[in-house]
Amino acid sequence: MNDLNHAHPHLESDSGQMSNQSIVKDAVKRAFIKLHPKTMAKNPIMFIVEMGFLITILLSVFPQFFGSTANPWFNPAVSVILLLTVLFANFAEALAEGRGKAQADSLKQTKKGVWANKVTGDGKTKKASSDELRKGDVVIVSQGEMIPGDGEVISGLASVDESAITGESAPVIKEPGGDFSSVTGGTRVVSDSIKVKITSDPGETFLDQMIALVEGAERQKTPNEIALNTVLTSLTIIFLIVVATLPFFTDYLGFHIDPAVLIALLVCLIPTTIGGLLSAIGIAGMDRVTRFNVLAMSGKAVEAAGDINTIILDKTGTITFGNRMASEFVPAGQETLQTVGEYAALCSIHDETPEGRSIIELAKKQSIPFDASAAEDGECIEFKAETRMSGINLPDGTAIRKGAVDAVKKWVIQNGGTVPPDFDRESERISKEGGTPLAVAAGDQLYGLIYLKDTVKPGMRERFEKLRKMGIKTIMCTGDNPLTAATIAKEAGVDDFIAESKPKDKIDVIKREQAEGKLVAMTGDGTNDAPALAQADVGLAMNSGTTAAKEAANMVDLDSDPTKIIEVVSIGKQLLMTRGALTTFSIANDIAKYFAIIPAMFMTAIPQMASLNIMGLASPMSAILSALIFNALIIPLLVPLAIRGVAYKPMNSNALLARNLLMYGLGGVLVPFIGIKLIDMIMQIMV
């Protein structure tokens, strides 16, 4: 599995962006700006901490007015610590936003100064800014010019450099029709000229969406984040009620608790750690997706990827390389390897497809002689879907054909020939081994078969095994016959397959899995994939694909790598796991704070409470300040983990839960005991 912290070369031109001084300086500045109550109110937990800071400021200035009897230095000390707590939380969010802003700035450079040759109603062209273009406008883009907006090629053929968007240096051929007609604004034509029909208005292009996404502005909270925020807010309200009613009980018992101590107790009780990091985790999660060069239409899609149960994958180009290559000549009946190879090569002279070229290469590799000049003077028979054959008619009248086994057999029989007894057996063997058999015939005689093989990409079995450990089922869709499909499925290690698959079959299998309560992901690039991409919970469209596919999906892979769905799932799981791990840690580390601050509050009036001071803290005031200082410092200490994400290893949910409880649950209990004690010792040394 690829390193999920890997940053795409285009999106992260500077190494170690997190330590970039300008980003850190800007984050510090924004941390103070975010102190505005209107901004803080969006985070109820930290808003309460800020209100506590304001109250302790008043206690510092007017202690007697509020009935404060604490040492003169105590209230100011609590104020400073609470202010730092809020600033650290704001800094975490601002730093996550700053990383996205740095990416957005580089992307905005791609948009600047783009002019277009817009086609007018009379067929002429005029210069127009990309901001003036609207959906339906037609522009002509020639060599060296920037494509002004997202669109579809409607005429012409050109090589397009998409490195500004994808980071890949190799140009991509764009042509009208098919799955490679879509172009993205901000890319450059490096050869020839194309006519493009604009498919998006200004502000709605993929580049605009990516800029908005990575900036973090107007980021919509995901359902899981909203649910967790609701739980944390509810806990905060409960603790607020507890602390507010506490003075009534202490007055009844005959002793008084200073207001600053009550505020310190409240801040230590409420889940300030996760409250301060929750927004940063969400922003950083989206940041990791964009750094992986995937444009997610919403945070919901990323989180859904983390909960995926089933992945639908195309065979060709995803699991296999996609180009069937000749690997063997198989003679039939009494024929020899020489004759099969010769006729196969002769009828491939005019075949410019990868498989046609591979047949010529195999004949040369096996030193099989053939008269290329005779074929060059012959009549080329192009492949047609109706005949499912191609070939050549030589000048001497010999007709040679290669193609689908049943089609060539029928052609031979129509010419008065017969089928050798071992022909069908060899054809079935090739299919069972995952290959594609092509029959070779001349006139009324079947000479044998060409063994075409589509190779499974290296490491696919290991990848699918990791997905299986995550509890994710993989289903391969292919147009191959059942025998070939079964062999490839076994070699690749997928859990299930659909042979002779049609677009409707993909939708049916998605609906079937969803009916069982499962979340489904799939990849696609063609218009025929659009319905299934829309039906899937996570649809990953290829940037090189059609506009219909990209509009139907909720994610677009700018690198057009179909296997990236596997990494997207891991990114989603990492996001969910990071949030869960830090929530566990936050709630767990409150335990140590209770043992620090509660005995400190009550041991003066109730000496028996001193037995709960298991950390042996020096004094009640020292215990309260140590707990508050730890509560503040733990936020910036966890910022790198929140932004980088918790390391994810594929395993089943039970093992993952046990691992996180041990690491972040037990760790969250132990670390504060050590931290608070160390702070207390340092305070005693300083005093």
Side-chain angles (χ1 to χ4, degrees), residues 457-615:
K457 292 180 178 179
M460 292 306 294
R461 174 173 284 276
E462 290 75 16
R463 285 179 153 221
F464 292 138
E465 181 59 35
K466 288 180 179 179
L467 287 172
R468 201 169 291 114
K469 288 180 180 178
M470 298 180 203
I472 297 173
K473 178 183 179 182
T474 51
I475 300 176
M476 179 186 79
C477 290
T478 175
D480 290 338
N481 63 66
L483 287 174
T484 302
T487 304
I488 293 291
K490 183 178 180 182
E491 184 179 347
V494 295
D495 299 308
D496 199 0
F497 67 90
I498 301 172
E500 298 176 343
S501 172
K502 300 177 181 62
K504 185 177 181 301
D505 296 327
K506 294 178 183 178
I507 297 176
D508 289 342
V509 72
I510 291 172
K511 288 182 177 179
R512 186 189 71 206
E513 294 290 314
Q514 289 174 333
E516 296 175 5
K518 298 177 181 177
L519 294 182
V520 183
M522 80 157 285
T523 62
D525 58 2
T527 301
N528 62 344
D529 291 324
L533 287 168
Q535 180 66 41
D537 299 286
V538 176
L540 179 66
M542 303 298 102
N543 190 45
S544 61
T546 62
T547 299
K550 290 190 280 190
E551 288 179 349
N554 49 23
M555 288 188 181
V556 177
D557 175 21
L558 299 177
D559 293 329
S560 299
D561 176 8
T563 63
K564 198 180 283 186
I565 187 68
I566 299 172
E567 276 77 16
V568 168
V569 169
S570 294
I571 292 171
K573 285 188 175 294
Q574 186 185 39
L575 171 61
L576 293 174
M577 200 174 79
T578 301
R579 187 180 295 142
L582 292 182
T583 300
T584 302
F585 185 89
S586 175
I587 294 173
N589 71 26
D590 285 343
I591 295 173
K593 300 174 198 172
Y594 302 158
F595 278 98
I597 202 166
I598 292 177
M601 290 175 60
F602 294 101
M603 71 172 72
T604 303
I606 309 173
Q608 293 85 351
M609 292 290 288
S611 60
L612 294 178
N613 184 19
I614 59 177
M615 287 181 277

Side-chain angles (χ1 to χ4, degrees), residues 608-682:
Q608 293 85 351
M609 292 290 288
S611 60
L612 294 178
N613 184 19
I614 59 177
M615 287 181 277
L617 301 177
S619 68
M621 293 299 102
S622 173
I624 293 169
L625 291 177
S626 297
L628 275 180
I629 292 171
F630 176 85
N631 191 64
L633 291 179
I634 196 64
I635 294 175
L637 290 176
L638 289 175
V639 165
L641 184 62
I643 291 178
R644 186 181 66 248
V646 172
Y648 175 70
K649 294 181 180 179
M651 60 182 69
N652 64 51
S653 55
N654 290 334
L656 191 61
L657 178 62
R659 174 176 174 267
N660 283 347
L661 285 176
L662 179 64
M663 185 177 298
Y664 297 99
L666 184 59
V669 172
L670 296 178
V671 168
F673 276 100
I674 298 169
I676 291 172
K677 180 60 179 177
L678 285 174
I679 293 170
D680 179 71
M681 292 170 64
I682 293 170

